[in-house]
Amino acid sequence: AYKLVRGLEMNTTLRELAVHSKYLLYRCTASTHGLEEDIGVLLKRNRELRDSKAAQRDKDMMKMVASVQDSNKQQAFLNRQTQKIIRRVQLSQKRTSQLEHLLQSMRE
């Protein structure tokens, strides 16, 4: 009878252990699944941030390019204006020189 009772106790203990181990396995699986979801969310957020930063860098770069282009346009405009002024001064000097020659020839 002792062996029978002892065998039943061990059987009950083994059943309890099996139930408990199934419960622990379920908890671990659920926990792992939760971690996988968390990792997925973090990876997605990381991609979004990286894409957002890249987009901001592109936007900043485009602003700089536009600024340089604007500066180049302004410089080209100033260069054209300077050339016009130089041509006017040269023309004025030529006319002055012609007038001086004319005046010189009239004096003689």
Side-chain angles (χ1 to χ4, degrees), residues 5 15-16 22-23 35 40 42 66 69 82 94:
V5 171
R15 277 193 205 117
E16 288 172 354
K22 282 182 184 176
Y23 172 74
L35 288 174
L42 288 173
Q69 288 174 337
T82 302
K94 183 178 177 184

Side-chain angles (χ1 to χ4, degrees), residues 82-98:
T82 302
Q83 290 302 317
K84 285 180 184 178
I85 291 171
I86 288 172
R87 283 193 300 273
R88 286 181 187 160
V89 167
Q90 288 172 341
L91 184 61
S92 176
Q93 286 175 341
K94 183 178 177 184
R95 287 182 182 158
T96 303
S97 176
Q98 288 173 344

Side-chain angles (χ1 to χ4, degrees), residues 6-56:
R6 186 78 174 129
L8 288 173
E9 285 176 354
M10 286 183 76
N11 224 3
T12 304
T13 303
L14 286 175
R15 277 193 205 117
E16 288 172 354
L17 283 174
V19 168
H20 189 65
S21 65
K22 282 182 184 176
Y23 172 74
L24 287 177
L25 180 62
Y26 167 76
R27 290 282 311 267
C28 287
T29 303
S31 177
T32 301
H33 182 68
L35 288 174
E36 288 171 349
E37 286 179 352
D38 291 346
I39 289 171
V41 168
L42 288 173
L43 288 173
K44 181 180 177 187
R45 182 68 182 134
N46 188 26
R47 276 191 303 273
E48 290 170 353
L49 284 172
R50 192 173 56 235
D51 293 346
S52 153
K53 286 180 182 177
Q56 185 61 43

